[in-house]
């Protein structure tokens, strides 16, 4: 490093990786890493990386400030990603194949962490109070990358969904943006919305000029919110930055009227709001409008999703035509909404719904297999034969579901029940990543067999470094302890545990 950097942005990543070398449009070397066994997932994992890099250099007006950029996945990582100077770590969950990309793309995290190389790494907050200068900016610029790639309807839909979350959260979340104790939602998403509102208020060209000046003036320095707003004032003297600060950064109130005024400039959002306003109307009054939308190839897909959510409780016979149109759309998201919303159907609809098992989506396949298996018992054996080679995401969601269903189906290879169960137990062991273990344990707990090995694996999870996995283990052990007769059974495994596991388990057992 020949330029100053913040000490919290140092990292080491050690492992057996395969490396790909690229170069940005401006000549910066880019090194992308994956574990050797994941090399076939390179294109689907790192798709749009060069596009994001080029866009951010142009949008900020400031060349990438460091000599190289690297990205590397980490197993059992605590977060989605971390913007270490010149080298982003991201969760192994985002290493996906072509099908997984349709469900869980790394793009947003990729763009978010890359944006931090400017907002956070080049210019760093002077204290936690100003954390939005990093997270709000990275969130917003990742959205701008997606706007460039996927268009304004996608961008405005993301803004709308974000506004819904913020409006709901504001009922109980009373800590404003400019407070070091603000929530993640506030720092990231309200911070991003504040920037969008500011951009709309002063105009995008003035906003870009202010950002360029801000990054150049405070490069390799610490900065606060007033210094940022001073650059806004220089670029747009008419802007009342004090009023903006009070409204967006110092108040816990989410300015929903201002937000809706901004969103209403987008035609799709207006259509979406009009459709949402029909939610309480009788189905007969809106069916023709629903059919018109569902038959159109021009409307943006969330409109079709909204229709499917509104007709969940409508009798099947009355909505069948709409469901068939939704399936015929061949849009992965719309078809997935059919999978999510249709859980009861006549046998005549079986083949139509069964087609979801062929969708290029591991989430859709998981939902559809579950529904078909439960609703059509006579087809269980055929369904299991059809799906026995599925594996799914890195967490093996489809394989673990299949093992659970195969074990529970009395007519499916009775002689292999111990093998199915044994494979589930195998994946729950400490030999595997926490995502696989958690998924396997969830399925084993669903089966409900009183098994000391499962309890031992849960006790082992209590000592894991990943807090999300620890919480899963704690929550499920607490449930088991409360079941009649189970506390004594859980106590009985203590001698088989190591000291750390035993101490954690005893703390749970002694909770009041």
């Amino acid at each position: 490093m020949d330029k100053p950097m913040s000490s919290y942005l140092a990292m080491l990543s050690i492992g057996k990786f395969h490396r790909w070398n690229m170069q940005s449009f401006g000549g910066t070397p880019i090194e992308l890493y994956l574990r050797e066994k994941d090399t076939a997932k390179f294109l689907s994992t790192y798709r749009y990386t060069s596009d994001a890099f080029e866009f951010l250099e142009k949008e900020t007006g400031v060349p990438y400030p460091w000599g190289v950029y690297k990205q590397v996945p980490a197993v059992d990582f605590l977060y989605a990603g971390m913007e270490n100077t010149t080298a982003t770590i991201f969760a192994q969950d985002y290493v996906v194949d072509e099908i997984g990309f349709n469900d869980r793309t790394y793009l947003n995290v990729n763009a978010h962490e890359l944006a931090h190389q400017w907002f956070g790494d080049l210019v760093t907050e002077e204290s936690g109070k100003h954390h939005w200068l990093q997270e709000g900016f990275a969130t917003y610029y990742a959205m701008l990358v997606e706007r460039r790639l996927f268009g304004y309807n996608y961008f405005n839909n993301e803004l709308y969904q974000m506004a819904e979350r913020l409006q709901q959260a504001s009922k109980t979340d009373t800590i404003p943006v400019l407070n070091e104790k603000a929530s993640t939602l506030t720092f990231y998403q309200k911070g991003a919305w504040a920037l969008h509102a500011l951009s709309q208020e002063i105009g995008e060209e003035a906003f870009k000029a202010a950002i360029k000046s801000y990054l150049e003036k405070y490069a390799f320095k610490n900065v606060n919110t007033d210094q940022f707003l001073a650059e806004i004032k220089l670029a747009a003297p008419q802007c009342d930055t004090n009023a903006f600060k009070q409204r967006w950064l110092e108040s816990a109130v989410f300015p929903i009227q201002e937000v809706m005024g901004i969103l209403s400039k987008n035609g799709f959002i207006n259509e979406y709001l009009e459709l949402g306003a029909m939610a309480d109307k009788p189905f007969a009054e809106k069916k023709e409008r629903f059919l018109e939308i569902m038959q159109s190839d021009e409307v943006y897909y969330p409109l079709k999703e909204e229709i499917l959510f509104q007709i969940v409780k409508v009798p099947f016979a009355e909505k069948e035509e709409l469901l068939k149109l939704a399936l015929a759309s061949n849009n992965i998201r719309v078809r997935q909404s059919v999978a999510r919303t249709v859980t009861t159907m006549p046998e005549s609809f079986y083949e139509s719904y069964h087609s979801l098992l062929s969708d290029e989506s591991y989430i859709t396949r998981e939902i559809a297999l579950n529904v078909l298996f439960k609703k059509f018992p006579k087809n269980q054996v055929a369904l299991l034969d059809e799906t026995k080679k599925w594996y799914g995401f890195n967490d093996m969601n489809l394989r673990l579901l299949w093992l659970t269903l195969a074990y529970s189906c009395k007519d499916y290879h009775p002689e292999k029940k111990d093998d199915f169960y044994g494979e589930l137990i195998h994946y729950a062991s400490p030999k595997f990543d926490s995502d696989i273990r958690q998924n396997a344990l969830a399925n084993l707990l669903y089966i409900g067999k009183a098994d000391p090995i499962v309890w031992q694996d849960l006790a082992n999870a209590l000592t894991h470094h990943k807090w999300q996995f620890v919480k899963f283990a704690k929550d499920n052990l607490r449930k088991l302890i409360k079941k009649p007769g189970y506390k004594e059974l859980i106590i009985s495994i203590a001698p088989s545990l190591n000291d750390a596991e035993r101490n954690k388990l005893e703390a749970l057992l002694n909770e009041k």
Side-chain angles (χ1 to χ4, degrees):
M1 295 296 296
D2 56 3
K3 296 171 184 174
M5 63 169 277
S6 296
S7 58
Y8 79 94
L9 293 168
M11 60 80 82
L12 284 174
S13 181
I14 301 170
K16 293 183 178 180
F17 298 105
H18 188 83
R19 182 183 71 194
W20 289 264
N21 296 310
M22 300 170 58
Q23 196 172 73
S24 76
F25 184 78
T28 299
I30 299 175
E31 298 176 10
L32 306 175
Y33 293 80
L34 288 179
R35 293 190 296 186
E36 291 177 347
K37 69 176 185 178
D38 292 325
T39 55
K41 299 176 181 178
F42 171 73
L43 290 176
S44 45
T45 298
Y46 286 116
R47 188 175 299 170
Y48 301 123
T49 294
S50 59
D51 300 87
F53 201 103
E54 181 179 351
F55 173 83
L56 287 169
E57 285 198 310
K58 290 181 178 179
E59 187 68 16
T60 61
V62 176
Y64 177 74
W66 314 101
V68 65
Y69 186 54
K70 307 176 184 182
Q71 296 187 71
V72 59
V75 173
D76 290 333
F77 194 49
L78 293 173
Y79 312 105
M82 179 61 203
E83 68 278 10
N84 312 288
T85 306
T86 77
T88 285
I89 294 176
F90 65 97
Q92 178 70 22
D93 301 0
Y94 292 104
V95 177
V96 294
D97 59 18
E98 289 294 327
I99 296 176
F101 180 84
N102 295 324
D103 293 314
R104 185 186 292 164
T105 168
Y106 171 52
L107 172 61
N108 185 270
V109 176
N110 186 346
H112 179 104
E113 306 307 337
L114 178 56
H116 270 309
Q117 298 296 324
W118 287 265
F119 305 105
D121 295 11
L122 174 62
V123 174
T124 307
E125 65 190 40
E126 68 176 27
S127 71
K129 176 182 178 180
H130 305 282
H131 196 46
W132 83 286
L133 292 176
Q134 298 182 184
E135 299 302 348
F137 277 66
T139 301
Y140 186 55
Y141 275 81
M143 294 176 71
L144 293 180
V145 169
E146 292 179 319
R147 185 177 74 179
R148 171 69 180 83
L149 292 169
F150 307 134
Y152 278 81
N153 285 344
Y154 180 95
F155 176 71
N156 279 280
N157 186 49
E158 290 296 301
L159 283 170
Y160 177 79
Q161 301 303 327
M162 189 182 289
E164 288 252 288
R165 289 190 292 273
L166 289 164
Q167 175 69 357
Q168 185 64 31
S170 68
K171 297 173 183 177
T172 54
D173 188 344
T174 58
I175 301 177
V177 172
L178 276 181
N179 189 308
E180 62 184 11
K181 295 182 179 180
S183 66
T184 297
L185 186 71
T186 297
F187 279 137
Y188 286 65
Q189 299 190 16
K190 190 174 182 182
W193 244 113
L195 290 171
H196 185 60
L198 187 58
S199 171
Q200 296 300 295
E201 181 178 339
I202 69 174
E204 291 190 3
E205 289 308 310
F207 183 78
K208 288 172 69 171
I211 293 296
K212 184 175 187 295
S213 177
Y214 166 71
L215 290 171
E216 290 175 342
K217 183 177 290 187
Y218 296 104
F220 311 110
K221 296 176 183 176
N222 296 98
V223 70
N224 61 44
T225 298
D226 287 337
Q227 290 168 320
F228 164 66
L229 292 177
E231 296 307 309
I232 293 292
K233 191 72 173 176
L234 286 173
Q238 79 282 4
C239 179
D240 188 343
T241 52
N242 287 328
F244 168 82
K245 182 180 179 182
Q246 291 170 5
R247 190 169 70 252
W248 276 98
L249 308 179
E250 294 178 333
S251 171
V253 175
F254 186 63
I256 190 64
Q257 290 186 330
E258 180 178 350
V259 163
M260 296 312 297
I262 293 169
L263 287 171
S264 65
K265 298 174 184 177
N266 177 258
F268 153 71
I269 292 294
N270 286 325
E271 286 185 273
Y272 189 77
L273 292 173
E274 289 172 8
L275 196 59
M278 301 171 71
D280 295 329
K281 289 186 176 182
F283 178 63
E285 291 184 19
K286 54 190 181 184
K287 183 176 181 180
E288 287 305 313
R289 176 59 176 150
F290 284 3
L291 285 169
E292 178 186 340
I293 293 171
M294 203 63 82
Q295 289 170 329
S296 173
D297 294 328
E298 305 300 320
V299 302
Y300 193 42
Y301 76 87
L303 295 177
K304 297 182 179 183
E305 288 184 312
E306 173 63 21
I307 289 172
L308 292 168
F309 294 138
Q310 286 194 26
I311 63 174
V312 168
K313 296 182 180 180
V314 173
F316 186 89
E318 296 179 38
K319 64 183 179 183
E320 184 173 7
E321 183 179 5
L322 284 166
L323 296 176
K324 287 184 175 179
L325 286 169
L327 290 174
S329 72
N330 290 323
N331 180 286
I332 285 178
R333 299 292 178 220
V334 175
R335 286 174 59 86
Q336 189 175 107
S337 294
V338 173
R340 291 187 187 280
T341 58
V342 179
T343 56
T344 301
M345 69 199 81
E347 193 159 351
S348 60
F349 195 68
Y350 178 86
E351 289 302 325
S352 295
Y353 192 92
H354 179 273
S355 70
L356 294 166
L357 295 179
S358 301
D359 277 24
E360 298 286 281
S361 163
Y362 292 138
I363 292 175
T364 301
R365 292 180 184 184
E366 182 176 6
I367 297 167
L369 177 56
N370 249 321
V371 171
L372 291 172
F373 189 87
K374 292 174 182 176
K375 298 298 179 182
F376 298 95
K378 68 177 184 178
N379 295 339
Q380 288 179 350
V381 171
L383 286 166
L384 290 168
D385 278 337
E386 180 181 354
T387 58
K388 62 185 177 183
K389 294 184 179 180
W390 283 4
Y391 277 84
F393 294 115
N394 290 325
D395 66 3
M396 299 178 64
N397 65 314
L398 296 181
R399 179 60 182 172
L400 296 172
L401 170 63
W402 187 91
L403 288 168
T404 304
L405 298 179
Y407 178 80
S408 66
C409 179
K410 62 182 178 62
D411 297 325
Y412 193 74
H413 293 290
E415 77 284 359
K416 293 184 178 180
K417 296 302 182 189
D418 288 344
D419 294 337
F420 300 148
Y421 189 84
E423 189 175 342
L424 276 173
I425 287 289
H426 178 60
Y427 292 132
S429 74
K431 296 177 183 178
F432 293 91
D433 303 350
S434 64
D435 289 342
I436 294 175
R437 293 175 64 189
Q438 181 169 320
N439 210 346
L441 284 165
N443 280 279
L444 287 162
L445 291 165
Y446 173 79
I447 288 171
K449 189 175 179 180
D451 188 344
I453 298 176
V454 174
W455 309 334
Q456 289 170 19
D457 285 334
L458 283 170
N460 176 268
L462 296 174
T463 65
H464 201 274
H465 73 268
K466 190 172 181 180
W467 69 264
Q468 297 95 328
F469 189 35
V470 173
K471 183 179 185 302
F472 167 84
K474 282 184 176 180
D475 290 346
N476 282 285
L477 279 167
R478 287 185 180 116
K479 290 177 185 177
L480 287 171
I481 290 167
K482 290 178 181 178
K483 291 175 69 173
Y486 267 73
K487 185 171 185 178
E488 291 73 19
L489 292 172
I490 300 296
I491 291 172
S492 72
I493 69 169
S496 64
L497 306 177
N498 63 39
D499 290 344
E501 294 166 350
R502 193 179 306 113
N503 290 337
K504 295 286 187 181
L505 181 60
E506 287 177 355
L508 272 182
L509 289 165
N510 293 328
E511 285 180 348
K512 294 182 180 179

